[in-house]
Amino acid sequence: MRGDGDGWSHGPDGLRHWGRFGAAGLLLRAPLAGGGSAVLLQHRAPWSHQGGTWALPGGARDSHETPVHAAVREAWEEAGIDPADVRVRGERITATALSGWTYTTVVADAVMTLPTSRNRESSALAWVPEQEVDSHPLHPGFALSWPALRAAPARVCLDDIDVDDAGTVAAALPRTVDLADQGFVWLHADPEGPGAYARIVDADMDSTDAVRPDADSNDSILALTRVQVLS
């Protein structure tokens, strides 16, 4: 039932967290005109918990909702983001409590920096360049989770890819790719670079790691076959 998740979850340690069935938020990325990505941030209203800090649109999950449904709904209610404009790429549980409460961050893309409209829970909404997110006074929970959520920049070189496959790749970019325990990358086409690969800025990633999206996925990047670390 809509709204039945509103309320506090109380733990045996005396701590409480908002959302009787847990909570979720939407980390929405979009391409910037000059290159790179921007993240939609919410400046929390002064009266709210941790008011005055910056975080993601989000809130309590209802009993019938998945984290994805809750996060997309909250982005609609708090930021005016139409669910039809959101493409989900992955999700992470970014906070847990002894009560069993969890906070799930849902990672998604939009094709452009969409217009927003705020409700009373937001003092402001802003598309913030990815590299500038942590220069804002962040909500403590979001600040802790941000290093694992930020996307390393990458470029996909299309020179050696079959024309039909190159069209498939280009149509899917720019976008976030979820590399599971290796984190997220933000891909964009690089028509001038040699070879069919993505170069990813991540010192912890082996240069031979394969990126092979599910072949059954409609938005698979079929021609992306190997990852190489930038030196």
Side-chain angles (χ1 to χ4, degrees):
M1 183 177 72
R2 177 67 190 100
D4 67 353
D6 291 345
W8 296 99
S9 172
H10 297 269
D13 51 0
L15 296 178
R16 64 177 190 171
H17 299 83
W18 183 251
R20 295 177 57 231
F21 306 104
L26 188 72
L27 195 168
L28 186 63
R29 284 189 179 86
L32 291 171
S37 59
V39 175
L40 178 62
L41 294 185
Q42 174 198 52
H43 196 205
R44 298 172 65 84
W47 58 265
S48 65
H49 180 61
Q50 297 291 346
T53 61
W54 290 84
L56 305 175
R61 286 173 55 192
D62 290 334
S63 60
H64 65 284
E65 290 184 310
T66 66
V68 168
H69 289 147
V72 172
R73 172 183 55 74
E74 288 285 341
W76 167 248
E77 293 174 357
E78 296 182 358
I81 298 297
D82 189 332
D85 294 328
V86 173
R87 190 62 175 269
V88 173
R89 302 300 188 185
E91 56 186 278
R92 294 284 191 279
I93 294 177
T94 48
T96 60
L98 292 177
S99 62
W101 177 93
T102 60
Y103 186 97
T104 302
T105 301
V106 175
V107 178
D109 297 343
V111 298
M112 58 181 289
T113 52
L114 303 167
T116 60
S117 60
R118 60 186 176 90
N119 69 359
R120 68 187 189 91
E121 298 181 50
S122 308
S123 293
L125 297 161
W127 287 98
V128 178
E130 185 127 12
Q131 69 272 20
E132 297 177 14
V133 167
D134 53 10
S135 68
H136 289 63
L138 301 179
H139 182 286
F142 180 47
L144 284 173
S145 62
W146 174 241
L149 295 170
R150 68 186 307 163
R155 58 189 180 203
V156 179
C157 304
L158 307 178
D159 290 1
D160 295 343
I161 300 177
D162 178 87
V163 172
D164 291 336
D165 285 343
T168 300
V169 174
L173 300 178
R175 48 97 42 94
T176 304
V177 172
D178 183 353
L179 297 182
D181 60 348
Q182 296 182 84
F184 296 93
V185 295
W186 174 259
L187 300 181
H188 65 277
D190 181 6
E192 297 179 358
Y197 55 82
R199 287 178 169 171
I200 297 177
V201 182
D202 185 340
D204 296 327
M205 186 178 298
D206 293 334
S207 62
T208 57
D209 284 339
V211 178
R212 295 185 182 277
D214 182 352
D216 294 328
S217 173
N218 290 332
D219 64 345
S220 291
I221 304 180
L222 301 176
L224 182 58
T225 58
R226 76 179 189 271
V227 173
Q228 197 170 68
V229 180
L230 283 175
S231 59

